Amino acid sequence: MQYIHVQEAAKYLFEHRLNKSNIKDFPKIITPKTDSEAYLIQEELKLLYLNLKENVSIGKKVGCTSGDAQKQLNISEPFYGNLFSRFHSIDPKTISSKKFSKPFIEPEIALRVKEDIDISRAPFSIRDIDDLFDGFVCSLEIVDFRFNKSLKEIGSLNLIATNGASEYWIRNSEIFSLNEIDFENHSIKISYDKKIIGHGNTKNVMQNPLNSGLWLINKIAIKGETLLKGQFVSTGTCTKAHELIASTEISADFGKFGKIEFLYN
């Protein structure tokens, strides 16, 4: 793909994001055909996002972290996208449905980066966790598949190009220590209007969300990219994705770590 087509693709996706419109037909000439092309478009899209007023990068999200999700998209590893300050909130009371097209919500554990990561030391292993992260938060990612197709028809390359389908990120305000949670077995529940609609577990995220954080850091290190102190890695959904419905009270129950609750109106 020529660089001009990478730019055209990013601009096309950016305009649909700002207009909150669906994508009917992504022009073939700017449709990514490889992972490399998809991430080039994502990187160009990131630059457009960062040109927005009062917007900075606050970290990364990892998607497709379960075996079932990867099988559905016929891929063998997760993918990633970017988190931005303009498209996130801490302990919100309400979220407007007008921000989205056809959104789904995913409860996730997000790891906070301890210090600027020296990628010359990569690849990192589980032994390096305490050097890489100094805590975690409970979070919710809102993903929005703007293509008028099934997830399988959209495919992983289009999802990567569209910032990993990440539209909005919500977290609680409290930072917890890594040793406070059993990452391999912690239950999470999602409720709509006080009725439980889904159960999940941290083990659904690559058996352990720490594995997701390591995968992300090692993956971007190959490209010469790092993460900075205080940024977050949202590690992947612990439940299946649930479609958001307007005029609904949303509650994600993270057990002893509290709840994230808001009105989606």
Side-chain angles (χ1 to χ4, degrees):
M1 178 180 284
Q2 297 180 24
Y3 183 60
I4 189 171
H5 295 146
V6 172
Q7 292 178 307
E8 289 175 0
K11 183 178 179 182
Y12 182 91
L13 296 171
F14 184 66
E15 289 174 348
H16 277 278
R17 172 67 176 85
L18 293 188
N19 295 333
K20 306 174 185 65
S21 56
N22 288 326
I23 299 170
K24 294 181 179 179
D25 292 299
F26 199 24
K28 287 185 178 181
I29 196 169
I30 59 174
T31 297
K33 298 178 179 61
T34 65
D35 282 5
S36 296
E37 291 181 352
Y39 279 116
L40 281 174
I41 294 170
Q42 184 191 116
E43 289 163 11
E44 195 70 21
L45 183 61
K46 179 181 178 179
L47 295 177
L48 294 175
Y49 278 133
L50 291 176
N51 278 324
L52 294 172
K53 186 178 180 181
E54 298 178 354
N55 190 38
V56 297
S57 171
I58 57 173
K60 299 277 190 183
K61 61 78 52 99
V62 185
C64 220
T65 52
S66 73
D68 287 343
Q70 291 174 21
K71 185 177 181 180
Q72 185 179 11
L73 289 174
N74 193 29
I75 57 177
S76 59
E77 68 173 1
F79 55 74
Y80 64 83
N82 300 283
L83 302 176
F84 299 101
S85 60
R86 182 163 172 159
F87 305 110
H88 106 292
S89 56
I90 302 173
D91 289 327
K93 300 301 181 185
T94 62
I95 296 289
S96 174
S97 60
K98 294 179 181 179
K99 294 177 180 288
F100 310 102
S101 173
K102 191 177 181 180
F104 290 74
I105 197 163
E106 301 178 341
E108 310 195 358
I109 295 295
L111 306 170
R112 187 174 68 174
V113 177
K114 184 176 183 178
E115 300 289 346
D116 295 1
I117 296 174
D118 179 5
I119 58 174
S120 69
R121 295 174 50 214
F124 298 96
S125 72
I126 198 72
R127 296 187 299 273
D128 301 306
I129 285 296
D130 289 335
D131 295 328
L132 297 172
F133 304 112
D134 64 357
F136 74 92
V137 296
C138 304
S139 68
L140 294 171
E141 185 186 10
I142 298 178
V143 296
D144 203 347
F145 308 112
R146 295 191 175 276
F147 293 86
N148 290 327
K149 300 177 180 179
S150 68
L151 190 58
K152 188 173 183 179
E153 289 176 309
I154 296 170
S156 63
L157 299 184
N158 285 330
L159 293 179
I160 291 169
T162 55
N163 194 38
S166 185
E167 293 280 304
Y168 204 81
W169 188 62
I170 301 162
R171 71 172 178 88
N172 62 354
S173 56
E174 188 170 358
I175 308 291
F176 299 99
S177 298
L178 298 182
N179 59 12
E180 292 184 66
I181 186 174
D182 180 359
F183 283 111
E184 294 183 350
N185 184 24
H186 185 80
S187 297
I188 294 167
K189 295 180 289 189
I190 289 282
S191 298
Y192 283 10
D193 293 331
K194 297 182 172 58
K195 180 180 179 181
I196 296 174
I197 63 164
H199 293 83
N201 194 290
T202 51
K203 66 185 177 183
N204 296 333
V205 183
M206 298 178 72
Q207 289 77 55
N208 182 330
L210 296 176
N211 293 330
S212 174
L214 283 171
W215 175 87
L216 183 280
I217 289 171
N218 288 329
K219 184 73 173 179
I220 64 174
I222 295 171
K223 300 180 178 182
E225 187 177 357
T226 190
L227 288 172
L228 305 178
K229 179 179 180 177
Q231 289 187 317
F232 290 92
V233 178
S234 200
T235 56
T237 186
C238 299
T239 72
K240 75 173 188 178
H242 293 278
E243 187 172 359
L244 282 171
I245 301 168
S247 302
T248 302
E249 292 182 359
I250 309 296
S251 176
D253 186 347
F254 290 83
K256 66 179 183 179
F257 304 109
K259 299 178 180 179
I260 298 177
E261 297 180 310
F262 61 91
L263 174 64
Y264 182 68
N265 61 8

